[in-house]
Amino acid sequence: MKKEKISVTEQLSEYIKSQKETFRQHQRDLPFGEKMEIAFSLAERDKTIQHAVLLPKTNKKKGKYF
Amino acid sequence: MADIAKTISVVNQMTADGIIENYALGGATAVIFYTEPIATEDVDVFVHLKPGGNPLMEFQPIFDYLKDKGYEMKGEHFYVEGFPVQFLPTGTELLNEAIDEANEFQLTNEVVVRVMTPEHLVAIMLNTGRLKDFLRIGVFIQHEVVNSELLQSILTEHNLAQKWKDNISKFQS
């Protein structure tokens, strides 16, 4: 039987997917206390991103949002 | 870093001291318990309050109790043993049932924690229906922690079966 060739891109994509799954499983198996620490860090990270990227810039001359 | 077991221990003591009738962890905190860490800014504790109090000041006993113990309040949170805790009332049959039928887990040798069941959490998130709730339902489905039969019976009981059917494609991406 002829073997189907899997492209490098597909192999890489499969590898990343499996690594992601392993990581998620590891995260799930952590003790509750550790998971909560990570959860609060994630919230902090989200807040930082929001402040850095999403807040509208102010026009210092007019002192208003534009 | 703060120890969540100490925070839960204080909540358990509140129950033992008769300040609250019962409680269960809900929201993102409960999702994290069963699955992987997701961003959260507080520990959501849903409480059954003692009946017979002044309905306009139903949380007063909790405030007084925690203030007496030296815990500070900032915004809508009490900082209990280092963790921001939000105490939330139950206003629906679904939430009442979720507290009554919560799972109990041994967090440490001394501390037991009550956590809403995955099936009740999914039903509550479906009912609330925010984007982040739908994303969390997706996390639950991916981790295969939900008993489908039990979920269906809860959804039917609380008139959410149609909403589930209407939105199921959003959870399976």
Side-chain angles (χ1 to χ4, degrees):
Chain A
M1 208 169 120
K2 202 178 171 185
K3 255 192 175 176
E4 234 180 84
K5 270 193 178 176
I6 305 172
S7 75
V8 177
T9 317
E10 279 171 326
Q11 280 181 46
L12 190 61
S13 156
E14 280 301 309
Y15 175 74
I16 290 169
K17 199 177 158 192
S18 79
Q19 288 295 303
K20 216 172 163 182
E21 277 310 306
T22 311
F23 175 74
R24 291 185 75 184
Q25 188 59 47
H26 170 70
Q27 294 262 56
R28 184 184 161 178
D29 293 342
L30 288 172
F32 184 47
E34 281 185 44
K35 288 205 262 188
M36 286 303 289
E37 281 182 34
I38 296 170
F40 279 94
S41 304
L42 290 173
E44 276 301 310
R45 181 204 61 181
D46 289 353
K47 252 195 244 171
T48 308
I49 293 171
Q50 248 178 353
H51 277 97
V53 181
L54 301 177
L55 280 183
K57 289 179 179 142
T58 52
N59 180 337
K60 284 179 185 168
K61 275 184 190 166
K62 289 182 181 173
K64 286 179 183 174
Y65 290 113
F66 64 91
Chain B
M1 180 69 190
D3 181 358
I4 190 76
K6 286 185 183 169
T7 309
I8 301 300
S9 178
V10 172
V11 179
N12 286 341
Q13 194 57 48
M14 285 170 73
T15 317
D17 291 342
I19 305 301
I20 52 176
E21 207 165 64
N22 211 349
Y23 82 93
L25 297 187
T29 317
V31 174
I32 292 163
F33 194 91
Y34 294 108
T35 64
E36 61 195 298
I38 53 171
T40 188
E41 291 178 3
D42 53 21
V43 178
D44 294 327
V45 181
F46 287 83
V47 292
H48 273 325
L49 298 158
K50 286 271 176 188
N54 181 346
L56 295 174
M57 298 172 76
E58 53 186 358
F59 279 87
Q60 197 62 43
I62 296 178
F63 299 151
D64 294 341
Y65 181 89
L66 291 173
K67 283 227 158 144
D68 280 353
K69 298 260 177 209
Y71 298 117
E72 286 190 6
M73 197 180 183
K74 232 189 222 175
E76 57 201 3
H77 300 112
F78 258 107
Y79 280 75
V80 182
E81 296 296 329
F83 278 102
V85 180
Q86 189 173 22
F87 291 93
L88 297 154
T90 57
T92 64
E93 278 304 307
L94 178 60
L95 282 169
N96 285 331
E97 187 182 284
I99 293 184
D100 292 340
E101 296 177 12
N103 287 326
E104 289 191 357
F105 296 96
Q106 202 74 40
L107 202 55
T108 66
N109 285 341
E110 297 86 27
V111 182
V112 169
V113 62
R114 291 177 54 80
V115 188
M116 289 181 182
T117 66
E119 295 77 19
H120 277 111
L121 286 166
V122 169
I124 292 164
M125 290 185 287
L126 178 71
N127 194 30
T128 312
R130 299 164 299 181
L131 177 63
K132 67 177 179 181
D133 292 308
F134 283 6
L135 291 171
R136 287 171 188 174
I137 294 175
V139 172
F140 262 114
I141 289 172
Q142 282 167 16
H143 283 275
E144 297 175 344
V145 289
V146 176
N147 177 321
S148 303
E149 275 180 40
L150 188 53
L151 175 63
Q152 285 309 320
S153 83
I154 292 170
L155 294 176
T156 307
E157 193 188 326
H158 296 282
N159 300 318
L160 290 165
Q162 189 58 46
K163 193 169 183 184
W164 177 260
K165 276 184 199 159
D166 293 343
N167 291 286
I168 194 159
S169 61
K170 295 176 189 164
F171 315 138
Q172 291 174 329
S173 57

